[in-house]
Amino acid sequence: MAAEIVNPRSDDSKTHGAASANDISSAGELFDPAFALHRGGKMAVQATVPIRDKDDLSLAYTPGVAKVCSAIAENPELVHDYTWKSQVVAVVTDGTAVLGLGDIGPEASLPVMEGKAILFKQFGGVDAVPIALATTDTDEIIETVVRLAPSFGGVNLEDISAPRCFEIERKLQERLDIPVFHDDQHGTAVVTLAALRNAAKLSGRTLGDLRGVISGAGAAGVAIAKFLLEAGIGDVAVADRKGIVSRDRDDLTDVKRELAELTNRAGLSGPLETALAGADVFIGVSGGTVPEPAVASMAPGAFVFAMANPNPEVHPDIAHKYAAVVATGRSDYPNQINNVLAFPGIFAGALQVRASRITEGMKIAAANALADVVGDELAADYVIPSPFDERVAPAVTAAVAAAARAEGVARR
């Protein structure tokens, strides 16, 4: 069976769309095409084998299926060959940190999880199943996913709030022998690194020449900081709502205390604006607004990656006054930092070789491959490719699969 992308313009969808307009109007909502598209959901399940007669039925189900079940019982590894396990990812959420909406609950998160699933299919050829859990308890989420894991080749954690997301991912990967990947952390980090590598290349610098500042110490901010350090950035400081995450603060969570030990080698303290003075890179994953004078205080030839949606921390018009390269999280500006550039290919590569986990090396390989897609076309308004560039997923998939084999986590 496979996830199928439903065409919202089919005859059946048109009928539902008309009903949708009436239903929404009766609820006091203005008609919006988004409601018509979402009517009935954005996915379906489709068989990959025909059942045309009793012979097909006897092979697809009983008695034929018993032979396959017995073979898997004797040799559990055969599950990868004779079921969809190696081709399907569970997209798991508790609905506590959905897009820019926050804690809206599991039911309200489903349109986003369905969207994630069809992006897996559209951009990576990977089947995915949205799973919204009716619990926010860390241990319950872990236990639930562990019990579901036999049906899946990988787990994509999605829109789970920090700091619980860190513990959930870590403990799941410890207990499972399939890839567990929190996209809000690592997908964002991979695409950010790819764009930053190209921005540095464009300016004749390396990552080691750069001092960065990250606004936001949630899932994305923490992951980006650690990943950039792993990749060799010169220095990076992270700021939360109370200022720079530094060793002299006594109000830090365990996650932020660890972050303070790893980052901010310059020993800066105080507000975000202090860190931005003379900085080469700004990375925004927090929302809010950075004052223009703080942007102006950055080093000449700086890079501004203001990724909050829908309102970037620094408006592109302001950023372009002072920065050599500007990126956002929006599709209507150049250089969109979009996770869809990373997660479909990362999972496709991991599943292709039946990897037991997704390593730092696999993520760095993904970032490098993504950066390389730009190639000779590199320009200030093109440091990262479009999600619709057909070269992206194959390049990332191949790089991740090769890295998995090199790092010893591939099983074929």
Side-chain angles (χ1 to χ4, degrees):
M1 305 176 81
E4 178 186 22
I5 299 174
V6 178
N7 180 0
R9 294 173 178 81
S10 67
D11 290 341
D12 187 50
S13 294
K14 287 179 182 177
T15 301
H16 289 318
S20 170
N22 294 333
D23 292 346
I24 295 165
S25 295
S26 66
E29 298 283 350
L30 294 174
F31 174 69
D32 188 306
F35 285 92
L37 185 144
H38 284 77
R39 167 66 73 165
K42 301 190 291 289
M43 313 173 51
V45 174
Q46 173 181 291
T48 60
V49 298
I51 302 180
R52 298 160 298 197
D53 52 36
K54 65 182 182 63
D55 292 332
D56 288 343
L57 181 60
S58 67
L59 287 173
Y61 200 54
T62 187
V65 73
K67 298 178 182 179
V68 180
C69 291
S70 297
I72 294 171
E74 292 180 13
N75 180 6
E77 285 300 304
L78 292 178
V79 70
H80 298 286
D81 297 311
Y82 295 107
T83 73
W84 78 339
K85 179 180 173 72
S86 285
Q87 306 169 65
V88 66
V89 170
V91 179
V92 179
T93 190
D94 63 358
T96 54
V98 179
L99 294 176
L101 303 174
D103 186 354
I104 59 175
E107 289 86 359
S109 76
L110 269 176
V112 177
M113 300 311 116
E114 287 182 5
K116 198 78 172 189
I118 65 174
L119 294 180
F120 265 111
K121 187 67 172 178
Q122 181 74 29
F123 292 100
V126 174
D127 290 309
V129 177
I131 298 174
L133 302 179
T135 178
T136 60
D137 181 85
T138 296
D139 291 333
E140 288 183 358
I141 291 172
I142 293 167
E143 292 301 326
T144 301
V145 175
V146 167
R147 283 161 173 74
L148 289 169
S151 296
F152 298 98
V155 175
N156 184 85
L157 300 173
E158 189 75 21
D159 294 348
I160 298 173
S161 62
R164 296 174 309 119
C165 59
F166 303 113
E167 181 181 0
I168 290 168
E169 182 189 43
R170 177 177 57 80
K171 288 188 175 179
L172 281 175
Q173 191 61 86
E174 287 172 355
R175 294 181 60 177
L176 299 177
D177 65 348
I178 58 175
V180 178
F181 185 84
H182 185 206
D183 185 52
D184 301 318
Q185 294 183 57
H186 311 300
T188 307
V190 165
V191 183
T192 300
L193 174 59
L196 189 56
R197 277 198 188 282
N198 275 341
K201 180 180 178 181
L202 185 66
S203 66
R205 290 177 283 179
T206 67
L207 284 177
D209 298 323
L210 305 177
R211 178 172 73 83
V213 177
I214 298 172
S215 175
V222 170
I224 292 170
K226 290 182 176 180
F227 196 50
L228 292 182
L229 288 171
E230 181 77 19
I233 194 170
D235 192 11
V236 61
V238 182
D240 62 12
R241 294 176 182 177
K242 296 183 179 180
I244 300 167
V245 175
S246 57
R247 296 179 183 180
D248 60 356
R249 282 179 51 181
D250 58 6
D251 60 345
L252 301 178
T253 63
D254 290 344
V255 170
K256 291 180 183 179
R257 274 196 293 273
E258 179 192 8
L259 195 62
E261 294 296 323
L262 296 173
T263 62
N264 191 21
R265 294 166 184 161
L268 302 172
S269 60
L272 170 71
E273 290 82 352
T274 299
L276 279 177
D280 303 293
V281 185
F282 169 76
I283 297 171
V285 284
S286 64
T289 301
V290 177
E292 182 173 347
V295 181
S297 75
M298 295 178 69
F303 313 137
V304 170
F305 292 4
M307 299 188 287
N309 263 317
N311 299 311
E313 294 89 348
V314 182
H315 192 279
D317 291 345
I318 300 296
H320 278 295
K321 291 183 182 180
Y322 310 102
V325 176
V326 177
T328 73
R330 291 175 50 148
S331 60
D332 53 347
Y333 290 102
N335 296 328
Q336 183 190 20
I337 307 297
N338 191 329
N339 288 14
V340 77
L341 289 162
F343 68 81
I346 289 174
F347 268 100
L351 294 177
Q352 185 180 97
V353 298
R354 294 180 190 167
S356 59
R357 64 198 305 109
I358 294 171
T359 65
E360 291 299 300
M362 291 162 72
K363 291 183 288 184
I364 287 177
N368 291 342
L370 184 54
D372 288 345
V373 168
V374 172
D376 294 338
E377 301 170 74
L378 181 62
D381 61 353
Y382 186 55
V383 297
I384 199 76
S386 162
F388 296 99
D389 189 324
E390 294 182 354
R391 299 172 296 173
V392 168
V396 174
T397 298
V400 169
R405 291 190 176 101
E407 299 211 336
V409 296
R411 289 177 286 195
R412 74 169 182 183

